[in-house]
Amino acid sequence: MLDDSRPRTRLCAAETLTTVAYEDTEDLHDADAVLAGLKELRSDNELPAKRVEKMINITEVGAGYTEE
């Protein structure tokens, strides 16, 4: 869903994955793939850049890559 043609769908998918990564990391099959997909959204001019960065940061914390 992160590469859906509709910006709203991409944003909602990213937000859902971010929540799961933060709350239930063990439920993700591949946290690295989720993080890579979110990082690809950085170049998506149709999505709010600050919001995307915040989702990346939250996902990194949830996956244990960085601390809060």
Side-chain angles (χ1 to χ4, degrees):
M1 299 305 292
L2 292 177
D3 42 341
D4 191 271
S5 63
R6 297 164 294 193
R8 179 79 178 143
T9 300
R10 291 192 302 275
L11 186 62
C12 288
E15 289 173 340
T16 299
L17 286 169
T18 297
T19 301
V20 171
Y22 189 77
E23 299 291 333
D24 299 308
T25 306
E26 64 276 351
D27 289 337
L28 291 178
H29 295 289
D30 189 352
D32 291 331
V34 170
L35 193 54
L38 292 174
K39 287 180 178 181
E40 286 180 22
L41 294 179
R42 285 178 169 154
S43 61
D44 190 329
N45 294 328
E46 296 183 70
L47 300 181
K50 287 184 180 182
R51 198 163 169 182
V52 170
E53 278 303 317
K54 186 172 184 175
M55 287 187 278
I56 291 168
N57 293 337
I58 291 169
T59 301
E60 289 174 335
V61 169
Y65 296 123
T66 60
E67 294 184 23
E68 285 188 69

